[in-house]
Amino acid sequence: MTAVTAPPAAPTTAARPPEARRRSPLAWAREHLLLAVTVLIFVFMLLPNVIIFWMSFNQPQGKFDYVWHRFSLAAWQNPCANGEMCHSIGLSLRIGVVATIVATVLGTMIAFAMVRYRFKARSGINALLFLPMAAPEVVMGATLAALFFNTIGPGGLGFWTITIAHVMFCVSYVVVTVKSRLAGMDPTLERAAQDLYATPTQTFRYVTLPLVAPGIAAAALLAFALSIDDYIVTVFTAGNLETFPMYIWGSVQRAYPAQIDVIGSLMLIVTMAIIALSQVLGRARSARR
Amino acid sequence: MTAVVPSPELTEPVEPPPSARKPKRNWTPWVLLAPGLLWLVVFFLVPIFTSVSASVQTGDYDDGFKLTWHWANYSQALTDYGVQYLHSGIYSVLCTVFCLALGYPVAYFIAFKGGKYKSLLMALVIVPSFTSFLIRTIAWKTILADNGPVVQFLNDAHVLKLTSALGWTVGNHVLASPAAVVCGMVYNFLPFTILPLYTSLEKIDPRLHEAGHDLYCSPFTTWRRVTLPLSMPGVIGGTLLTFIPAIGDYINAQLLGNPNTGVVGQKIEDLFLRNTQGYPVGSAISVVMMVGTLVLVMSYIRKAGTEDLI
C-alpha cells in the first residue's frame, strides 16, 4: 500500500490555488477567531432556552424552580396544576387574537395608502408611525394610564384597555412589515391584469392580495408575538386582570413552579413546528407548480 | 418578539407607481389611513398631552385629581430620583456598547461567512424570542446561581473579588448586582442590534473586500476604511433600537438586580400602581424621561447624520 501513496508535498503545494498560498497563518487565526467569537455569542443567546427546557424536568426543592434538584415529569404531565396560570394564558391568548386582528387590518390599510397613493402630510404621518416604535414602553404605558385614569377612571381598566394599548403599539410594526412587501412587489403584474380586462376588484382579489398575503401573515405573527409577550404597557392598563407575563412577574415574588418552564419550552416548540410546517407546505406548493 | 425590526430604508416614503399619480383629488388614501391614524392619535398622542396635564395635578385616588398647576411635581421628579436616572442612563449606555461589541462580529460573520447557512443563522438569532422574554430573563437566575458553574469559575479565578471591589458585583455573587442587570439587558436587546447590522452588512459587495486586499490594505484597514463606513446605517439603527428600549427597561433591574440598582421605570410603576397620590409625580417623571430620550436620540441622529431615518 505504501508504495502507491502520493509523492511528497511539493506537487500538492504547487497545485494549490495562488489565493490559498498568499494566506498568512495570522489570517487563518483571525478567521477562526471570528468563528470562535460568533459561536460563543450564539451560546450566550441560546443558553437560556436550553436552561428553560432543562429546568422544566426539575422537581424544585422549594417553591422556586431556579436550582436543579431531581428529574421529574410532573410538570409536563400536569402543566395546569396551577389554575391561575392557565387562566392568565387564556386571557393573554384572547387579547393577542383580538389585538392582532385589529392591528393587522388597520396597519395593512395604512401600508396600502402609503405605498399606492400620493398625498400631503406624508412625512408627518411617517413620524406618527415611527414614534410609537421609538418611545420607551414605560412612557407609553404611563401616558396611556394617565389617559384612562382621567377619562374612565382606574376602575374601568380591563380587557379592552389592554387590547386598545396592544393595538396601539402593534400598528406601526404591521405597517412597516406590509409596506416592505408591497414596495418590493412588481407593479407591472397589476397592470398586466388590467390589460387583460380585470376589474380593479378582480385585480386586487386575484393578483395583489395573493402577492401581499405573506407580508400580511408575517405582520400578523409579529403583532401576535408582541402582544402576547408584553409586560410593561400591559401592567399599566390591566387594572385587576392578570395576563401571562404579569403572572410570571408575580411568580418571582410568590413561587416559581416548573410549569412556567414547561410553557416556555412549549412556546418555542410550537412556534418552530408552525414555521417548519409552513416551510414544508410552501415547498410542496412550489413543487406542484 | 424581534422578528422584523424596522430598518431605516423601510420607513422611507416609497415612490408610488406611475399609475397612481393622478392629478385629481382622491379621497381613497384618507379613507384607508383614517382609522389607524385616529387610533394612534387618540391612544398615543393624546395620552402624551394628558400626562403633561396630569403632571401638574394634585390629589389622590379617593378624592380624584385636580389641575392645580403644581409645578413642584417636577422639582420632586427631578431631585428625588437622581440615582434612578443615573442608573437608567449608565445601564442603557453600557448595554448599547456591549450589544454593539457583541453584535457586530455576529452580524459580520453571518453576512460574509454564513454562506448557505445565512438564513438558518439569522433564524437562530430570532428563535429564542419565541419564548416569553420574562421566562428567558429568569433563566439567568439559574445560570448565574451561586453554586452554578459560571459563578464557581469566576470565584476560582478571583474575578469576582475584582468586580466586587469595583462595585459591579456584590460579594461572591453575580446575581442581584449591577453586572447581572447589564448582562440581562445585553442578552435581551442583542437581537435588536444584530438585525439592522446584518441588513446593512449583507448589502455590502464582498468584492469590495477583495479590492481592498488587492490595494494592499490589511484586513483590519479594509474593515475600518471600507466595511465600517458602509455599515454605519446598521450601526446607527442598531444602537437606537437597543438604546431606546434599554433606557425604559426595568424588567432586568427588577429581576436580576437588588434594591440598589433601581431604575426610572420601576419608580414610574411604583408611583402609578402602588401609591395612591403618586400618579402626578409619576407622570412628571415619564414626561421628563420622554423629553430626555427624544433629545438624546435626536442629537445622536443629527450627529450621526442620518436624518432621513425618521
Side-chain angles (χ1 to χ4, degrees):
Chain A
M1 269 309 276
T2 33
V4 215
T5 33
T12 339
T13 348
R16 262 204 222 154
E19 200 188 309
R21 238 188 308 147
R22 258 193 282 149
R23 269 194 196 159
S24 66
L26 203 77
W28 184 88
R30 187 180 52 85
E31 209 159 281
H32 289 251
L33 181 74
L34 183 63
L35 176 70
V37 168
T38 308
V39 168
L40 277 179
I41 297 170
F42 266 110
V43 169
F44 173 72
M45 290 195 286
L46 298 172
L47 187 59
N49 290 80
V50 178
I51 296 288
I52 291 166
F53 189 62
W54 178 249
M55 294 306 279
S56 70
F57 294 103
N58 186 26
Q59 187 184 55
Q61 207 162 13
K63 281 178 167 179
F64 293 91
D65 185 29
Y66 295 157
V67 178
W68 179 258
H69 177 53
R70 188 191 294 150
F71 180 85
S72 154
L73 284 173
W76 280 90
Q77 281 161 345
N78 197 358
C80 271
N82 187 337
E84 230 178 284
M85 182 180 82
C86 286
H87 188 77
S88 70
I89 294 174
L91 176 66
S92 277
L93 288 174
R94 271 180 286 142
I95 293 170
V97 168
V98 178
T100 301
I101 293 170
V102 179
T104 308
V105 170
L106 296 182
T108 305
M109 281 161 66
I110 295 180
F112 265 95
M114 297 295 278
V115 176
R116 289 303 163 81
Y117 294 94
R118 245 189 176 199
F119 47 86
K120 285 173 188 165
R122 180 181 282 277
S123 59
I125 292 169
N126 262 327
L128 180 63
L129 289 168
F130 176 79
L131 274 174
M133 297 192 285
E137 264 197 276
V138 66
V139 170
M140 283 198 285
T143 52
L144 206 50
L147 175 80
F148 289 142
F149 284 175
N150 270 323
T151 47
I152 53 176
L157 297 176
F159 181 87
W160 288 108
T161 50
I162 304 175
T163 310
I164 284 171
H166 285 196
V167 171
M168 182 269 289
F169 68 69
C170 287
V171 163
S172 303
Y173 290 93
V174 173
V175 175
V176 171
T177 315
V178 177
K179 224 167 97 174
S180 68
R181 178 84 194 178
L182 265 177
M185 227 175 82
D186 188 352
T188 51
L189 289 171
E190 286 175 323
R191 251 175 278 152
Q194 278 159 7
D195 286 348
L196 295 166
Y197 299 105
T199 61
T201 324
Q202 283 172 325
T203 312
F204 181 80
R205 170 70 188 81
Y206 295 106
V207 179
T208 318
L209 203 58
L211 284 170
V212 193
I216 298 176
L221 271 179
L222 177 63
F224 186 72
L226 285 170
S227 162
I228 204 129
D229 206 18
D230 182 78
Y231 171 76
I232 297 180
V233 174
T234 311
V235 80
F236 281 96
T237 48
N240 296 322
L241 289 182
E242 192 178 52
T243 62
F244 183 52
M246 289 169 73
Y247 172 82
I248 302 169
W249 184 267
S251 309
V252 177
Q253 269 99 47
R254 300 188 295 252
Y256 195 82
Q259 274 82 358
I260 294 185
D261 287 321
V262 172
I263 302 297
S265 312
L266 276 178
M267 285 168 98
L268 188 69
I269 294 166
V270 169
T271 355
M272 293 212 318
I274 292 172
I275 292 172
L277 197 71
S278 69
Q279 292 275 330
V280 169
L281 285 180
R283 216 164 278 171
R285 190 181 294 168
S286 57
R288 244 186 291 138
R289 263 177 209 160
Chain B
M1 251 308 283
T2 51
V4 181
V5 173
S7 53
E9 73 279 355
L10 297 184
T11 46
E12 276 172 22
V14 182
E15 224 19 61
S19 61
R21 272 183 225 152
K22 287 170 196 159
K24 74 168 188 201
R25 194 142 172 87
N26 193 344
W27 289 102
T28 328
W30 292 104
V31 173
L32 289 171
L33 286 168
L37 293 184
L38 204 64
W39 198 289
L40 287 181
V41 168
V42 174
F43 299 116
F44 178 76
L45 278 189
V46 171
I48 291 176
F49 293 106
T50 326
S51 75
V52 171
S53 132
S55 67
V56 286
Q57 294 177 2
T58 44
D60 61 38
Y61 280 141
D62 299 325
D63 304 332
F65 292 90
K66 284 194 186 66
L67 185 64
T68 52
W69 299 103
H70 191 69
W71 291 100
N73 285 339
Y74 274 94
S75 58
Q76 200 183 335
L78 286 168
T79 51
D80 287 8
Y81 303 100
V83 187
Q84 281 81 15
Y85 288 116
L86 191 69
H87 283 163
S88 285
I90 293 174
Y91 296 161
S92 50
V93 169
L94 278 177
C95 166
T96 312
V97 171
F98 278 122
C99 279
L100 191 60
L102 297 182
Y104 204 102
V106 173
Y108 187 96
F109 183 88
I110 300 175
F112 295 120
K113 319 273 174 190
K116 57 177 177 173
Y117 298 112
K118 264 185 197 175
S119 37
L120 179 75
L121 289 170
M122 279 320 284
L124 275 182
V125 173
I126 297 161
V127 152
S129 30
F130 293 148
T131 298
S132 164
F133 78 111
L134 286 169
I135 307 181
R136 287 182 294 124
T137 309
I138 292 165
W140 282 97
K141 279 183 186 271
T142 304
I143 301 169
L144 299 175
D146 288 348
N147 300 320
V150 178
V151 173
Q152 290 284 325
F153 170 76
L154 292 175
N155 251 328
D156 293 344
H158 297 284
V159 175
L160 290 185
K161 271 191 189 141
L162 174 74
T163 52
S164 295
L166 291 167
W168 300 346
T169 52
V170 183
N172 43 14
H173 317 286
V174 173
L175 278 181
S177 73
V181 176
V182 175
C183 169
M185 287 171 78
V186 171
Y187 166 73
N188 269 304
F189 298 122
L190 194 52
F192 292 71
T193 319
I194 293 178
L195 284 168
L197 272 176
Y198 172 76
T199 326
S200 69
L201 281 169
E202 218 261 329
K203 278 190 213 134
I204 298 174
D205 191 336
R207 281 174 300 181
L208 287 173
H209 291 165
E210 287 164 34
H213 187 85
D214 288 346
L215 296 167
Y216 300 103
C217 269
S218 72
F220 177 74
T221 318
T222 311
W223 174 76
R224 194 171 61 84
R225 303 285 289 268
V226 179
T227 319
L228 184 62
L230 285 172
S231 64
M232 273 324 268
V235 172
I236 294 159
T239 45
L240 277 178
L241 280 178
T242 308
F243 179 76
I244 293 167
I247 198 155
D249 174 82
Y250 60 94
I251 307 292
N252 293 286
Q254 175 83 29
L255 294 176
L256 302 173
N258 60 32
N260 297 323
T261 58
V263 292
V264 181
Q266 275 168 312
K267 287 294 150 191
I268 298 178
E269 203 203 274
D270 277 345
L271 286 165
F272 263 85
L273 304 177
R274 278 178 283 281
N275 185 334
T276 49
Q277 297 169 12
Y279 140 73
V281 180
S283 298
I285 300 178
S286 54
V287 170
V288 169
M289 191 171 169
M290 185 168 54
V291 173
T293 314
L294 213 62
V295 168
L296 276 175
V297 168
M298 285 301 175
S299 51
Y300 178 73
I301 291 175
R302 189 148 298 179
K303 187 129 193 171
T306 45
E307 276 170 69
D308 51 27
L309 203 65
I310 291 183

